[in-house]
Amino acid sequence: MRFIVASMVLLVAGSMAGAADPAPQPNLSQALADYRALVLGSAGMPVSDLKVGLGHLQMTLKSGTVYPLVAKGGDVLGFLFEGQGLYGYTSEEPEDRQIFPVNLSRNAKLLVPNQNTVWDDFEHALVFSAASLLEGLDHASGQPPSRSAADSFQRIWKRLGQTYVEYDHLAAEVRLNGGHGQYVFAEIEGKKETVGWKYDRIRGFSESLYSFRKIQGIDIRILQILSRQSIQEQGAQPNIVNLRDARFDIATSDNKTGTIVSDLTLESDRDGLQVFPLNLVNNRAEESYDWASTKNQLRVTRVTDASGNPVPFSHRYGEILIQLPAPAKRGQSFQLHFETEGEIFTGMGGSRDNNYFELFTESWFPSPLRWDTSPFTFTLKVRTKKPWRPAASGDTVAFRETEDAFELETKSSVPCRDIAVFGGNYKTHEQTIDGITYRIHPYAMARKHVTEDLPKLASNILRFYQDHLGPYPHAELDIVEVPSYGFGIAPSGMVLMTTESFRPQLAWQLEYLSRGVPSVLAHEIAHQWFGHKAMPNAPEENWIAESMAEYMSGLAMGAMEVDERKMKGWKGLLAEWKGYSKECASVGPLFAANMLGGVEGYRDRQCLLYYRGPLVLHMFRTSVGEQAFYATMKKFLDDAKQPVGTEDLKNACKATLRADMSWFWDEWIHKSGVPEVKVVQNVTNEGGKFVLAGRVEQAPDRFIKMIIPLVLDMPGGQRDVRVFVQEQPSQPFRFELAAAPSKVTVDPANNNLAVYR
């Protein structure tokens, strides 16, 4: 008992930096078979007043029994606790602390935080761990599991199977890579709420607390995020592997079923890497989220290394786990060949469509897991059955027509990340303007003048971005019709727009998505710079893609001077951002948009990224000036050789502005709210000198540092400006003037995200 207590207390001290190194098992298939035969141990160990902690979770096992979860070979992969327990979870990261109460109030209403911590009693907790947590449990010799414990294990384990916890893959990944790293998933049946807790020091280097949502008719439990905090490591957190180059050969003889051959050049980002996962969809079963569904499957028929030798793999959970012949060193490149086949040539959501298929919204080829994986170059061949024509990311190398098929070859020497392949009953229109080839891929119902006008519209938008942000990275842009409603998406070198874009009665005379086709097209084209060239390096940095693309689309619409009576231009978009941003003003910071959980969280994410984010950029632009703004954006993009974040934007600001504007991004990306600003000012004559003086105030508990402009109406119809930075909640200001102004207005254009009193 003393030995078990000591080993459990080690968790509090962070012993999870690495489990004891067991001898690696040589065979992936054998290891997985072993772990998939996981059962409740034959004997448990009584515990009393035992305190356990890891990361931000603290558990007190007041009284009860701990039963090991035992694999076929005897490895212990976690435990079941039955008895009386208490847990507490604490939110400590600044951004997480802002959205933690919001997520709880929406998705776990009975958990009320006290000093950023929630507490709950529990009687059952099932804890899976990829490496052993409690040394000594494998020697437990107490009472066998009670009927209650056995039933609890079966009940909770079945639910975990509906939650996509890749327990066998994770255990094999840790064990066959030498025992380093840890992944823990706990489900705690609290008296107030049942919660899940994840500690991931293998893949995402984060710790999360969840609630669960089960929807009638859907075969998985949805994890609703309550809190997510990073696991701090010394130095940069490594990826697992990076994809450097890819060769794809795609063929379908009926536009439903086909083959995909992927030849990948990968690079290890860790030393001693032998087993690693890649994303790869198992199926595209409509109205089903079960990876094991046999409907619309993708089957892996062969995986080989550069020498043609078979490579062990496991294809489950929407991923494929690979075992290399020998451990790879960090920076070492290697080639893998994948042959897959199946019925995944479907429309979005797995639906069968008589007009098109898409390979984009699911992981149709093996790809790295991490958000911030490096971009890759590629070549691609796709063959479709007539009359369906293919369209794909990359610049065209060749297009051929045979008796019964179309064949397209594309390539990109510019590294990309999100690439797409479409096949459809398209009536393609092609036009080259200023050296860029525009291909419009609508269906037969599209009006001729619409397809002919789209290249001109896209060209005008593209020209604006090239003038201000730098060259478009490709020689072609494909605009593809998708038979759906209400969205736009931008794979590399492509824009996907839904059917109403090609129907003038619906889109060109009325409004599309309440704003008009041009602004939607401008947003999606902007992603070729913000989202593809400047790729966010973490989910929290997604504002770099979405907010920047949205703001640039507004500037492009302003340059085009569209008729605001027919569709939203710059004035309409700015008014829209200001109006809707109020709905999420106090929900959380822009940096935490992707950390909001549940249905309301999705809505607020949209609000933060598409309304508040553009207003933050508008404040920056109007503060530093037009020329400095574009110089900063261009520097940021030019330096984006790898995935980027806000720190890279700060560096670009320093380089172009010759001033440290880090504080601006720290305040407006990492804080929420719209400050109420009270400005008191007057003009006096002090010995023949005119002085504008006053005081600016914000509530101390909601203070956000900001730049405040004062516009002065001077004699002779002239205008002058004085600007100062409010650095304290209450701060005086004083300016000497050459003459007395007739009027002083605080931020007359209301460029700041603030309310003035």
Side-chain angles (χ1 to χ4, degrees):
M1 178 64 185
R2 190 179 311 157
F3 176 73
I4 291 180
V5 171
S7 62
M8 293 181 80
V9 173
L10 282 176
L11 300 183
V12 182
S15 67
M16 302 319 300
D21 294 351
Q25 298 188 41
N27 184 277
L28 176 63
S29 299
Q30 178 184 346
L32 291 173
D34 186 10
Y35 300 142
R36 287 168 188 167
L38 198 65
V39 296
L40 199 62
S42 60
M45 183 68 69
V47 293
S48 177
D49 252 352
L50 188 59
K51 297 186 182 300
V52 181
L54 177 59
H56 295 88
L57 181 73
Q58 309 87 40
M59 298 176 69
T60 300
L61 309 183
K62 297 178 181 179
S63 63
T65 306
V66 175
Y67 299 96
L69 306 184
V70 183
K72 185 177 180 181
D75 289 336
V76 175
L77 301 180
F79 62 87
L80 172 75
F81 170 76
E82 182 179 55
Q84 299 299 317
L86 173 70
Y87 81 85
Y89 176 88
T90 302
S91 171
E92 292 185 349
E93 291 187 358
E95 295 84 9
D96 190 68
R97 288 175 66 169
Q98 294 180 67
I99 58 98
F100 189 42
V102 175
N103 281 340
L104 288 170
S105 67
R106 293 173 173 178
N107 304 310
K109 298 181 185 297
L110 299 180
L111 295 178
V112 179
N114 182 7
Q115 296 183 338
N116 302 304
T117 301
V118 291
W119 300 91
D120 199 2
D121 296 303
F122 64 93
E123 295 182 353
H124 295 98
L126 184 65
V127 180
F128 160 77
S129 58
S132 179
L133 281 175
L134 310 178
E135 295 182 18
L137 264 185
D138 52 341
H139 302 301
S141 57
Q143 294 295 320
S146 64
R147 178 63 180 270
S148 172
D151 289 346
S152 298
F153 171 71
Q154 293 297 330
R155 180 181 68 253
I156 302 175
W157 190 253
K158 181 180 179 180
R159 292 202 303 255
L160 283 182
Q162 297 178 316
T163 317
Y164 271 41
V165 178
E166 306 89 346
Y167 74 98
D168 51 338
H169 280 195
L170 293 162
E173 195 174 337
V174 169
R175 298 302 175 90
L176 300 185
N177 285 329
H180 301 289
Q182 179 59 290
Y183 188 107
V184 183
F185 192 96
E187 179 162 337
I188 304 171
E189 292 187 334
K191 288 190 175 180
K192 299 175 183 175
E193 302 273 1
T194 294
V195 297
W197 173 77
K198 181 182 74 175
Y199 181 91
D200 176 8
R201 217 186 66 81
I202 302 176
R203 299 179 175 183
F205 288 85
S206 65
E207 175 187 2
S208 303
L209 186 72
Y210 301 95
S211 62
F212 300 103
R213 183 179 176 215
K214 189 72 174 74
I215 302 176
Q216 186 78 20
I218 294 181
D219 44 23
I220 66 166
R221 286 194 307 172
I222 297 173
L223 292 174
Q224 299 192 125
I225 188 74
L226 301 175
S227 167
R228 182 170 66 232
Q229 304 181 78
S230 61
I231 296 175
Q232 301 298 329
E233 298 273 314
Q234 289 187 349
Q237 297 172 356
N239 295 330
I240 302 173
V241 294
N242 291 311
L243 177 57
R244 297 304 185 191
D245 185 71
R247 302 286 186 269
F248 302 113
D249 196 330
I250 305 157
T252 173
S253 59
D254 59 3
N255 300 322
K256 296 179 180 179
T257 302
T259 59
I260 302 173
V261 177
S262 306
D263 287 289
L264 309 182
T265 298
L266 297 152
E267 180 184 272
S268 174
D269 205 29
R270 301 180 185 179
D271 283 323
L273 183 70
Q274 188 164 14
V275 173
F276 63 92
L278 297 169
N279 286 318
L280 184 64
V281 68
N282 284 95
N283 62 63
R284 302 191 73 180
E286 187 179 11
E287 299 179 354
S288 174
Y289 295 86
D290 184 3
W291 65 264
S293 172
T294 58
K295 185 177 180 180
N296 295 347
Q297 278 187 312
L298 181 70
R299 297 172 290 277
V300 181
T301 58
R302 191 168 181 237
V303 182
T304 58
D305 61 16
S307 301
N309 298 315
V311 172
F313 67 88
S314 172
H315 185 204
R316 297 160 68 96
Y317 316 114
E319 67 180 38
I320 183 168
L321 193 67
I322 301 294
Q323 182 180 24
L324 296 176
K329 296 180 180 179
R330 186 170 187 175
Q332 179 180 338
S333 295
F334 54 91
Q335 287 75 43
L336 290 175
H337 172 86
F338 297 85
E339 297 179 13
T340 60
E341 65 178 20
E343 302 80 40
I344 68 164
F345 294 75
T346 74
M348 291 185 175
S351 62
R352 288 293 173 189
D353 195 281
N354 293 326
N355 286 314
Y356 87 112
F357 69 78
E358 59 91 7
L359 298 176
F360 173 62
T361 56
E362 304 283 357
S363 300
W364 58 273
F365 67 92
S367 58
L369 298 186
R370 285 282 292 268
W371 176 284
D372 53 347
T373 184
S374 294
F376 58 94
T377 55
F378 68 89
T379 61
L380 185 150
K381 297 180 182 179
V382 55
R383 178 186 174 96
T384 58
K385 182 182 179 181
K386 283 184 173 180
W388 288 19
R389 293 172 59 101
S393 295
D395 295 329
T396 300
V397 174
F399 183 81
R400 291 181 292 270
E401 181 177 354
T402 67
E403 183 178 349
D404 61 350
F406 290 114
E407 297 176 353
L408 172 67
E409 294 184 32
T410 67
K411 68 177 297 184
S412 177
S413 56
V414 175
C416 305
R417 183 165 59 177
D418 295 323
I419 65 173
V421 177
F422 278 75
N425 195 17
Y426 302 129
K427 307 303 178 185
T428 300
H429 172 77
E430 180 178 311
Q431 188 173 352
T432 299
I433 305 174
D434 295 335
I436 304 294
T437 298
Y438 299 88
R439 290 192 187 87
I440 315 302
H441 304 277
Y443 303 114
M445 290 179 63
R447 296 299 176 91
K448 182 179 179 181
H449 78 85
V450 174
T451 59
E452 291 179 350
D453 286 346
L454 271 176
K456 299 171 187 176
L457 175 61
S459 175
N460 289 334
I461 294 168
L462 204 67
R463 188 181 302 114
F464 173 81
Y465 293 149
Q466 291 195 104
D467 289 344
H468 292 87
L469 303 176
Y472 174 60
H474 305 289
E476 302 174 1
L477 178 68
D478 288 82
I479 301 175
V480 182
E481 179 179 354
V482 178
S484 185
Y485 178 81
F487 68 83
I489 308 176
S492 179
M494 301 179 79
V495 170
L496 313 181
M497 298 188 72
T498 49
T499 292
E500 63 269 26
S501 308
F502 298 85
R503 305 290 186 269
Q505 292 86 355
L506 297 176
W508 292 77
Q509 296 172 9
L510 301 175
E511 290 187 329
Y512 166 49
L513 294 179
S514 79
R515 52 171 50 196
V517 169
S519 64
V520 175
L521 185 61
H523 176 101
E524 300 308 329
I525 292 178
H527 276 311
Q528 302 302 322
W529 283 267
F530 296 106
H532 288 292
K533 187 168 178 57
M535 300 178 182
N537 62 14
E540 294 79 10
E541 301 284 10
N542 198 31
W543 76 276
I544 287 173
E546 297 301 340
S547 299
M548 287 187 172
E550 178 65 6
Y551 188 60
M552 289 305 304
S553 73
L555 295 177
M557 297 302 291
M560 293 170 61
E561 298 180 349
V562 301
D563 187 343
E564 294 267 1
R565 294 170 299 177
K566 295 183 178 180
M567 62 191 69
K568 285 188 175 71
W570 166 252
K571 293 180 181 179
L573 289 172
L574 185 60
E576 182 180 85
W577 300 334
K578 288 180 177 180
Y580 284 114
S581 67
K582 298 173 184 177
E583 298 181 5
C584 57
S586 301
V587 169
L590 190 55
F591 196 74
N594 281 357
M595 297 162 64
L596 292 161
V599 176
E600 292 172 298
Y602 176 81
R603 180 200 65 200
D604 288 331
R605 172 189 177 275
Q606 300 295 101
C607 178
L608 287 168
L609 292 177
Y610 296 96
Y611 303 131
R612 183 179 177 89
L615 292 178
V616 171
L617 291 164
H618 185 60
M619 279 195 296
F620 177 70
R621 171 174 157 265
T622 54
S623 296
V624 303
E626 194 94 350
Q627 185 176 355
F629 171 78
Y630 284 120
T632 300
M633 293 297 107
K634 190 173 186 305
K635 174 65 174 173
F636 176 56
L637 289 161
D638 288 345
D639 291 346
K641 310 301 182 186
Q642 297 291 331
V644 294
T646 306
E647 290 301 315
D648 299 285
L649 181 59
K650 292 178 183 178
N651 293 334
C653 287
K654 290 179 184 178
T656 56
L657 304 178
R658 309 294 183 188
D660 190 352
M661 289 285 288
S662 298
W663 67 266
F664 178 87
W665 306 110
D666 289 339
E667 293 289 297
W668 291 99
I669 301 301
H670 297 280
K671 288 184 179 179
S672 61
V674 175
E676 293 189 3
V677 183
K678 181 180 180 181
V679 182
V680 178
Q681 49 84 19
N682 61 5
V683 179
T684 59
N685 188 329
E686 299 180 3
K689 293 182 178 180
F690 294 98
V691 175
L692 170 63
R695 179 171 291 276
V696 59
E697 296 181 346
Q698 291 186 43
D701 59 338
R702 297 189 297 274
F703 173 72
I704 300 181
K705 184 177 177 180
M706 62 190 303
I707 300 171
I708 298 179
L710 303 174
V711 177
L712 289 62
D713 291 339
M714 305 299 289
Q718 300 296 312
R719 302 192 95 186
D720 200 357
V721 178
R722 295 292 185 271
V723 176
F724 66 94
V725 178
Q726 185 185 5
E727 300 183 277
Q728 302 293 332
S730 180
Q731 179 178 320
F733 60 87
R734 175 186 171 88
F735 299 103
E736 292 187 2
L737 308 175
S742 60
K743 183 180 180 182
V744 178
T745 309
V746 181
D747 189 13
N750 198 25
N751 290 323
N752 283 338
L753 192 57
V755 175
Y756 297 101
R757 303 300 186 192

